[in-house]
Amino acid sequence: MPPFTGPLTEEEVPVFLEAVLKYSPEHYELFLAAIHTGMRFGELAGLEWDDIELKGRYLMVKRQLVWGRIQTTKGGKSRRVDLSTPLAEALKALKRKRHEEYLAKGENEISKTVFLNRAGRPLDKDNVRVRHLHKCLKKAGLRKIRFHDLRHTFASLLIQNGENLAYVKEQLGHSSIKLTVDVYGHLVPGANRAALDRLPLVSPL
């Protein structure tokens, strides 16, 4: 049995995100972040604005939401995650929009949590999966996947585009490179051919 249902392909990602913009626009930045950072759902749900350095285009994963409660991250360690330019711009626009909404309500400070539901409350994984992820996948004509498969989408696309496994390991926060290799090693372009080329030989006279 494969370790995951299957990541979205490079062609499927924009189709999915277009559906999100149309049918669940309030969660567009959440899904974009999942695909562009490989963060787990709990890590995204626990992300705070103070964790994000927009100018430097990175964020620090320090906590996660587990069963409605904020806890330390898996393994108890924080990690730095790089931000793509589109994601950094999307987060910047979201923060500006959040400020405008709160000012309109007479409030000076926005919620410290980045990703919230329509009511401004912490995200519920089942709600996001069923009412938004699965709905948008269906509207886009794509197969049903898990939220965690967006993490696999991030990793698989990086590797297929030539990124090395050590960088992918750091971004995902894997405890060891062996775990990264076990899950994603088969995706490295030309990996099998490279192994064949390293076989010993004797040159013909």
Side-chain angles (χ1 to χ4, degrees):
M1 185 174 182
F4 50 86
T5 306
L8 295 176
T9 66
E10 190 169 1
E11 295 74 26
E12 290 172 332
V13 168
V15 176
F16 167 66
L17 290 176
E18 286 176 7
V20 173
L21 278 173
K22 185 174 182 179
Y23 299 105
S24 294
E26 71 274 20
H27 288 317
Y28 173 75
E29 294 83 4
L30 171 70
F31 287 120
L32 182 65
I35 294 171
H36 279 220
T37 67
M39 290 170 63
R40 303 172 179 89
F41 178 85
E43 294 171 343
L44 289 164
L47 185 67
E48 297 183 359
W49 288 113
D50 286 345
D51 302 329
I52 303 175
E53 176 50 62
L54 290 172
K55 289 184 178 180
R57 283 176 46 202
Y58 70 89
L59 60 80
M60 298 300 299
V61 180
K62 300 178 180 179
R63 65 190 69 78
Q64 60 183 343
L65 184 69
V66 180
W67 300 112
R69 301 183 65 180
I70 296 295
Q71 301 180 5
T72 56
T73 53
K74 192 173 183 180
K77 297 180 179 179
S78 62
R79 75 177 187 277
R80 171 173 166 153
V81 173
D82 294 331
L83 301 178
S84 67
T85 297
L87 177 56
E89 291 300 320
L91 291 174
K92 187 184 299 182
L94 175 63
K95 190 173 186 180
R96 183 168 57 248
K97 178 184 177 183
R98 197 73 59 77
H99 273 295
E100 292 171 353
E101 292 173 345
Y102 275 64
L103 284 174
K105 295 187 293 184
E107 301 176 18
N108 294 323
E109 295 292 331
I110 65 173
S111 170
K112 64 181 181 180
T113 303
V114 176
F115 301 115
L116 303 166
N117 62 21
R118 290 177 180 176
R121 303 293 297 169
L123 296 175
D124 177 81
K125 187 174 183 178
D126 290 336
N127 181 280
V128 170
R129 184 184 72 249
V130 176
R131 299 187 60 184
H132 300 283
L133 174 62
H134 289 172
K135 179 183 72 174
C136 291
L137 288 168
K138 184 176 181 180
K139 294 289 186 180
L142 300 172
R143 66 192 181 285
K144 184 182 293 187
I145 63 172
R146 305 169 302 172
F147 191 96
H148 200 71
D149 290 320
L150 300 179
R151 176 173 167 85
H152 294 309
T153 296
F154 165 79
S156 64
L157 291 182
L158 277 189
I159 293 169
Q160 290 171 38
N161 285 325
E163 189 52 73
N164 66 73
L165 289 174
Y167 178 75
V168 175
K169 168 194 174 294
E170 294 302 319
Q171 294 299 289
L172 293 177
H174 281 169
S175 58
S176 70
I177 190 67
K178 181 181 183 302
L179 175 58
T180 312
V181 172
D182 287 346
V183 178
Y184 301 110
H186 67 287
L187 297 174
V188 177
N192 293 332
R193 291 191 298 277
L196 289 175
D197 290 341
R198 289 193 297 270
L199 290 173
L201 56 80
V202 174
S203 298
L205 297 176

